[in-house]
Amino acid sequence: MAKLYFRYGAMNSGKSTAVLQVAHNYEERGMKVLIMKPAVDTKGDDQIDSRIGKSRKVDALITPEDLIRNHIKTKVDCIITDEAQFFTPKQIDEFFDIAVKDNIPVICYGIRTDFQRNLFPGSKRLFELAHSLEELKTICRCGKKAIFNARKINDKFVFEGSQVAIDGSKKVTYESLCGNCYLKESA
């Protein structure tokens, strides 16, 4: 039986690079992958961009209204998603159904919480349904494991605002922080 996987980590933990590597591994063996990302993730437009300079066009940009099954037009051996936190809970339910009923592995990469340390709805549903959870790790500026994504606007930390603000727009950036550094910045 195929599984639904959730591989999560703070920003800069190598999630997008892992998406590209896993896709390469399947394709190197002659298998077909379907790469998806939510349309709300406008960074890179229709591309998966990794910090190491590699990129790839996605097969499907998914809007919140889309049914996942409508994007599966041929036989696929694996579905891989980036920025899974932005999928709706209903779409995560579809990924689970595809893994279980259609025996297609679905590997979702994303972040756990927003800049206010609240679960994203898609991530919450993945924690509820995924057969396998794996944390990808990165480090804070102090050297400890980073677990939070702190938002900066014009290089100043902010702790209020809408849940989604894609980095690169309106001088929005993020810094991965450990719990201690996050609390120091939010004090």
Side-chain angles (χ1 to χ4, degrees):
M1 179 184 82
K3 295 180 181 179
L4 173 62
Y5 298 84
F6 185 33
R7 297 176 179 166
Y8 65 93
M11 295 179 84
N12 300 323
S13 62
K15 296 177 300 298
S16 296
T17 302
V19 167
L20 300 174
Q21 182 65 52
V22 169
H24 173 78
N25 290 346
Y26 271 90
E27 292 169 340
E28 186 177 51
R29 288 157 183 80
M31 298 173 146
K32 171 79 170 128
V33 298
L34 183 63
I35 299 177
M36 300 179 170
K37 82 173 194 175
V40 70
D41 177 32
T42 56
K43 182 179 175 186
D45 298 317
D46 64 351
Q47 299 278 320
I48 305 270
D49 291 325
S50 71
R51 290 182 300 127
I52 63 170
K54 301 289 183 192
S55 65
R56 176 180 175 155
K57 186 175 180 178
V58 298
D59 299 303
L61 282 174
I62 309 297
T63 67
E65 300 78 28
D66 281 349
L67 295 174
I68 301 300
R69 284 194 183 279
N70 290 346
H71 293 276
I72 304 171
K73 306 208 185 296
T74 62
K75 180 192 177 303
V76 296
D77 297 295
C78 183
I79 296 171
I80 307 169
T81 76
D82 200 14
E83 305 295 349
Q85 69 274 6
F86 297 136
F87 288 116
T88 67
K90 182 178 176 185
Q91 289 168 331
I92 300 302
D93 289 345
E94 278 191 86
F95 285 133
F96 179 83
D97 289 349
I98 290 165
V100 173
K101 292 178 181 175
D102 299 343
N103 201 32
I104 300 171
V106 179
I107 307 171
C108 297
Y109 290 86
I111 58 178
R112 181 177 58 162
T113 59
D114 64 19
F115 75 108
Q116 294 175 320
R117 302 174 298 167
N118 297 314
L119 283 170
F120 283 96
S123 298
K124 179 181 184 297
R125 194 65 178 145
L126 279 161
F127 275 109
E128 293 167 341
L129 295 180
H131 297 93
S132 175
L133 300 168
E134 180 184 344
E135 182 179 20
L136 304 177
K137 296 169 182 68
T138 191
I139 57 170
C140 177
R141 59 186 175 200
C142 71
K144 293 179 184 169
K145 182 177 91 165
I147 58 173
F148 297 119
N149 303 299
R151 182 182 290 169
K152 291 180 172 180
I153 298 180
N154 296 320
D155 290 327
K156 294 185 180 192
F157 286 101
V158 295
F159 297 92
E160 294 181 358
S162 64
Q163 187 175 49
V164 178
I166 305 300
D167 59 336
S169 61
K170 297 183 184 177
K171 305 278 183 174
V172 175
T173 59
Y174 291 89
E175 184 176 341
S176 302
L177 298 174
C178 69
N180 190 43
C181 289
Y182 181 94
L183 291 176
K184 283 181 186 175
E185 292 297 341
S186 67

